[in-house]
Amino acid sequence: MASPATDEGTFKTPKSVRVRSFGSNGGTPVTIPSSPFMKKLGCGTGVSVYLMDRRGKLNASPWAVKKINSKCAVKQLEVYQKRLNEEAKLLQGISHPNIVGFRAFATAKDGSKCLAMEYGGEQSLNDLIEKRREEGLKAFPAANIEKVALDVSRGLQYLHNEKKLLHGDMKSCNIVIKGDFETVKICDVGVSLLLDENMRVSDPKADYIGTEPWKPKEALDEEGDITDKADIFAFGLTLWEMMTLAMPHLEMLGDDDDEDEGETFDEEAYYERLGTRPALDAETLGSSYRKMVELFYLCTEEDPRKRPSASQIVKALESNAPLDKMPKEVIIID
């Protein structure tokens, strides 16, 4: 009988691997099961995430384990391993209720990397959007969007102001939700960039990775000035995702049932729209969405100086102040 297949190939047998890790457990040995013995939670570029059940350890809480997909080309594999190393180092120094917490970082004998993070039964916001769309539903209730807006902006405020970090890849895939929006947390800080005292990326040679549909204009320009406002633009598009159940700028893909699906994508139009504000039918949404529509418009200003900071968003939402009544000088930063 053949051994269970693994989509990473990092563990050659389905046996558990006992490794040492650094982190909250003080460097004690951690047993990381091989992929076939863990439930797959999701995947991203070069990595897969699994649920590690730890009930055998005195009913310890489960972990989400991110592992490198070794099917990648050698050069890509090195890049993803470096990112996972960086993500582990960053997460160790981060502690915030709206950011997924670090648990351990393990290295197996074959050199494969495993980053263990907190897990509380979350689903990605992207999964919830897809599920809602498949069920034929419309926009999330305004209260759910406002909860995501406040909690994510709190997490971004912490990253920007206290840790001087640009997340660098804000989108629905990198937000996890527990239950009925009981908790909202930012995840995947592997491509974060350091910010200086002026909220600009401190290393001029550093690459802004991001994900194309969520990138602001300045990140699409090789000479663009990347600041904390790049996260704000992507954050605004994430709110748009919740109101439209769509992915930014990909509406021209057409329906999956189109017979001529391959001919519906206008590549030139797509690239022209990148970094711009996608259309939103605010009238159909109704008055209960007014605040989130206004926030979306503010965050997706093409000029980054006109976008609010994470701190300003938190202040406005916590005080329940009407966004259209905010003083102009609070919105525009010189």
Side-chain angles (χ1 to χ4, degrees):
M1 179 174 162
S3 297
T6 156
D7 49 338
E8 300 85 9
T10 47
F11 294 108
K12 296 181 180 179
T13 71
K15 297 178 180 178
S16 298
V17 177
R18 195 165 177 79
V19 295
R20 283 192 174 272
S21 66
F22 60 79
S24 58
N25 57 5
T28 57
V30 176
T31 300
I32 304 291
S34 59
S35 304
F37 294 102
M38 291 191 290
K39 177 183 177 182
K40 190 171 183 178
L41 296 173
C43 59
T45 306
V47 297
S48 293
V49 181
Y50 298 87
L51 176 63
M52 180 177 167
D53 190 344
R54 302 172 64 240
R55 284 178 294 184
K57 295 181 177 295
L58 301 177
N59 291 320
S61 59
W63 288 350
V65 178
K66 181 182 288 190
K67 299 166 68 174
I68 300 294
N69 186 339
S70 65
K71 285 187 177 181
C72 302
V74 174
K75 287 186 178 179
Q76 289 180 317
L77 192 61
E78 292 175 354
V79 170
Y80 298 140
Q81 286 180 336
K82 182 179 179 182
R83 285 184 189 172
L84 198 62
N85 284 337
E86 291 301 318
E87 183 174 4
K89 290 177 182 177
L90 287 173
L91 273 181
Q92 283 189 96
I94 290 174
S95 179
H96 190 275
N98 297 119
I99 301 176
V100 167
F102 174 86
R103 292 297 178 263
F105 188 61
T107 305
K109 291 182 179 179
D110 62 2
S112 59
K113 307 292 185 180
C114 307
L115 171 59
M117 301 164 287
E118 70 169 311
Y119 175 79
E122 301 95 343
Q123 296 182 75
S124 79
L125 178 58
N126 180 258
D127 288 340
L128 294 177
I129 289 172
E130 289 186 358
K131 181 179 179 182
R132 194 172 181 85
R133 184 173 61 242
E134 289 168 0
E135 292 174 350
L137 300 173
K138 300 298 183 181
F140 283 85
N144 290 160
I145 303 175
E146 290 181 20
K147 178 72 160 63
V148 170
L150 178 56
D151 287 0
V152 171
S153 59
R154 283 170 171 162
L156 289 177
Q157 178 185 35
Y158 171 81
L159 287 176
H160 296 169
N161 295 77
E162 294 193 37
K163 307 308 293 185
K164 287 294 185 288
L165 286 172
L166 178 78
H167 181 278
D169 196 17
M170 282 305 308
K171 55 185 178 181
S172 59
C173 294
N174 289 335
I175 297 171
V176 290
I177 311 293
K178 179 181 178 181
D180 186 18
F181 293 85
E182 295 164 24
T183 64
V184 179
K185 295 175 185 277
I186 297 170
C187 64
D188 202 351
V189 296
V191 295
S192 294
L193 299 173
L194 289 172
L195 297 169
D196 62 20
E197 64 277 6
N198 297 313
M199 291 298 182
R200 289 181 169 84
V201 172
S202 57
D203 182 359
K205 295 182 180 180
D207 290 326
Y208 177 91
I209 304 297
T211 302
E212 207 167 58
W214 289 266
K215 283 186 177 182
K217 281 286 187 186
E218 64 268 23
L220 295 164
D221 181 355
E222 290 185 4
E223 303 299 323
D225 187 15
I226 307 298
T227 68
D228 60 318
K229 302 302 181 63
D231 276 349
I232 300 302
F233 184 89
F235 163 79
L237 291 186
T238 303
L239 302 181
W240 180 89
E241 288 183 80
M242 294 188 73
M243 290 185 275
T244 63
L245 308 185
M247 188 178 292
H249 310 302
L250 292 180
E251 64 276 5
M252 66 280 289
L253 281 175
D255 296 329
D256 292 339
D257 296 332
D258 287 351
E259 292 182 4
D260 299 324
E261 182 181 351
E263 300 178 8
T264 61
F265 181 64
D266 186 337
E267 186 175 3
E268 185 176 346
Y270 165 69
Y271 282 106
E272 284 180 357
R273 294 182 190 184
L274 288 180
T276 67
R277 178 190 293 134
L280 179 66
D281 186 354
E283 185 175 344
T284 298
L285 283 170
S287 59
S288 63
Y289 291 85
R290 181 180 175 182
K291 179 173 287 188
M292 290 300 97
V293 170
E294 291 171 349
L295 183 57
F296 156 69
Y297 273 91
L298 288 170
C299 292
T300 53
E301 287 280 359
E302 192 167 315
D303 183 349
R305 295 172 300 177
K306 294 182 179 181
R307 300 173 205 152
S309 67
S311 295
Q312 290 164 348
I313 295 170
V314 170
K315 184 176 180 180
L317 294 180
E318 286 183 340
S319 64
N320 201 31
L323 294 173
D324 62 341
K325 301 298 183 183
M326 292 176 68
K328 191 174 181 180
E329 62 269 23
V330 174
I331 295 297
I332 301 177
I333 309 301
D334 295 326

